[in-house]
Every structure is written in structure tokens, then in C-alpha cells.
Amino acid sequence: MPFRCAVLDDFQNVATSYADWTALGDRVEVVSFTEHFTREDDLAAALAGFDCTVTLRERVPFPATLLDRLPRLKLLIASGMRNSVIDYAAAKANGVTVCGTESSSTPPLELTWALLLGLARGLVQENNALREGGPWQSTVGADLAGRTLGLLGLGRIGSRVAQVGLAFGMDVTAWSQHLTAERAEAAGVRLARSKEELLSGSDLVSVHLALSDRTRSLLGAAELALLRPTAYLVNTSRAAIVDQDALLAVLREGRIAGAGVDVFDVEPLPADHPMRTAPRLLATPHLGYVSRANYERYYGQAVENIRAYLDDAPVRVLG
């Protein structure tokens, strides 16, 4: 009987084309699921006949209640080397090895700037008007040069976003709970004395923090009220860092110029979710990690992980 591998959330149906799965020979059978499972019962039923599961990012939780229902599962592979929705203790108790893959910071960096530029220059509105016979020029773009870019987080991605902002001639400031003046200076940016100072003093704010107990709901109604009416907010990190109801409120009331969002409290976003119709919102369906190079890395290393596991020498083990 072959070692059966399920690939979850393969929305574009490309998982088998971005890696050489034939390297596993006839030892492994790969089945790709292009539809997302929203109910644990449906997911448990779908995965019951598989020895291995490949899951993308942190969209699909693997709690003990699910792992206990998958006695055949022996290998769980997550894209990235950190996953907060896998119960590692339950995986170990059920004899499941959890492995990760490397992930590039370049795709989310590039998407961050796509959203920032799209907002600042009204690209969606102008493109729609041009294609639909609307007015010739209906927006006035916001300049970047000389404006202040505020970064919540100056880690692997935030520091690279800062470099692009500096190249545009922006004044870049950053804040996080443990960011020091020395680290900020090394990145060529100013350290904001507080989260509040950063929010009130920035023309564009971009979120680049990991989700944790400290950062969950870091930006609530009080914090968003500090943003200037002309400011833009971009979040390509994690939805839970920004209070979703508070964000919807400031967008509907026009208290900020706009927001660019790539992450949501529920994914995929339900058809009737208010984020789909919010004004002043430029939204993308969690494309931050979705690029050819990243997919080649994810699925290529997933193949390596499976081969190593079958050879009794697992690699990139998590937990």
C-alpha cells in the first residue's frame, strides 16, 4: 500500500507542478484538495485515509480533537518553520511527526508595497474607471517621498520594508515592544518612543509583527483613532493584530484614508463577510506568501521531508 499524502488548500491546483513529486517514486500517492474544509468533521473524514498531510500556513488548525481522529496520520508538514495552530503535544501523543519548510520574506515584502502603492495612487479606482468608461483621472495620488512610514515591527520583513521606504525618500520610523534604538539605527530608521507616537505621527502604517498574546488586538479602536484622516494602514501579517470591527468602523466612517489588508479573521473569506464590501479597503486573498519561488520552496521541501521521513531520518522537525 503506498504512503498516501494529502495536500490541503491547493486553491490554484498547482502543488504537484511546483515540485518533483516523481522523486518519491511509487512509494507515495499524492492527492490535492482545491477546496477548503471549514468543518472539523469534514476535514477528519477527508484525511482519514492518509498517512501524510501538507498544510499551508496557519489556515487549518490541527488541535488534539482532530489529531485523535486520524490514527493513520504519521507525518504533518506545514509551510514555514513556525505554526501556532498545530497542537504539538497531541501530535507527539498520536505518533505524528511534524515538519516545516523554509519560507522567503520577499513575497510578503513585495505585496506590502503593492498594497501601499495601490492605496496611495488609487490604482484600483483608476483602473476600474479606465476600463469601464469612467472619468479620466478621478483621484489625486498621495506622495511617498517626504512622508512618514511607520512600521509596527522591524524584524525580517519589516526591516526590508524599511529599506524600500528609505529608497522612496520616506522618513521611516518603527516600534515594537522590544525594539531598541540601536537596532532601529542599524536599519536606518528612527525608533518611535511608543506605539501611540508611531500611529499619530505616520502617513502610512504597516504591520509586521508575529501574532502572540502581546500583539493580539494590539490595534483596537483607541489606537486606530490616533491615525490621521489622511493615513493609510496596511496589514500583511496576521488579522488578529488589528481589531477587525474597529478597522471596519474607521473605514466606514472615513476616519482614515484607506487600508490594505491581506489577512482576515476567517479564511477563505465568506461571501457575506463585511470585509468584502468595506469602503476605502484594498484587499487581497492572503497572497503574501503566494509566489512561484515560495511555492517551489514549500512543495519542494515537502517532498524532501517525506523522503527523509520514509528513510527514517526526518528533517526540519518542529515542536
Side-chain angles (χ1 to χ4, degrees), residues 134-152:
W136 183 262
Q137 298 182 357
S138 59
T139 64
V140 178
D143 297 284
L144 298 185
R147 298 299 178 92
T148 298
L149 170 64
L151 300 176
L152 287 167

Side-chain angles (χ1 to χ4, degrees), residues 3 9-10 56 62 66 80 126 129 135 184 218 237 304 314:
F3 187 82
D9 291 343
D10 184 16
L56 279 179
F62 279 84
L66 174 60
E126 295 291 1
L218 184 73
S237 183
E304 294 174 2

Side-chain angles (χ1 to χ4, degrees), residues 250-288:
V250 298
L251 289 172
R252 288 168 177 160
E253 296 165 13
R255 289 190 277 127
I256 62 173
V261 174
D262 186 49
V263 287
F264 305 91
D265 54 357
V266 180
E267 296 185 8
L269 206 59
D272 60 351
H273 196 287
M275 280 290 185
R276 287 188 180 267
T277 55
R280 303 175 183 83
L281 178 67
L282 176 55
T284 48
H286 205 154
L287 298 179

Side-chain angles (χ1 to χ4, degrees), residues 41-71:
D41 286 347
D42 296 334
L43 183 59
L47 298 181
F50 289 91
D51 307 278
C52 171
T53 296
V54 178
T55 180
L56 279 179
R57 309 311 293 158
E58 296 172 317
R59 182 176 295 113
V60 179
F62 279 84
T65 53
L66 174 60
L67 292 166
D68 290 345
R69 300 168 69 179
L70 300 174

Side-chain angles (χ1 to χ4, degrees), residues 14 46 58 61 94 144 156 164:
V14 296
E58 296 172 317
N94 282 279
L144 298 185
R156 192 163 57 108
V164 178

Side-chain angles (χ1 to χ4, degrees), residues 27-107:
R27 295 191 294 174
V28 178
E29 175 190 354
V30 182
V31 178
S32 179
F33 291 93
T34 58
E35 298 297 323
H36 178 71
F37 294 99
T38 58
R39 298 176 63 249
E40 185 176 298
D41 286 347
D42 296 334
L43 183 59
L47 298 181
F50 289 91
D51 307 278
C52 171
T53 296
V54 178
T55 180
L56 279 179
R57 309 311 293 158
E58 296 172 317
R59 182 176 295 113
V60 179
F62 279 84
T65 53
L66 174 60
L67 292 166
D68 290 345
R69 300 168 69 179
L70 300 174
R72 182 168 170 175
L73 185 67
K74 298 303 176 188
L75 178 62
L76 178 58
I77 300 172
S79 61
M81 293 300 293
R82 178 174 55 192
N83 192 298
S84 64
V85 297
I86 296 174
D87 187 328
Y88 293 103
K92 183 177 180 180
N94 282 279
V96 178
T97 299
V98 183
C99 297
T101 71
E102 296 172 357
S103 181
S104 172
S105 61
T106 299

Side-chain angles (χ1 to χ4, degrees), residues 23 43 48 54 109 120 142-143 146 163 194 202 214 229 238 267 270 290 310:
L43 183 59
V54 178
L109 155 72
D143 297 284
Q163 293 172 7
S194 66
S202 298
R214 291 198 313 271
R238 290 292 182 270
E267 296 185 8
V290 181
L310 293 176

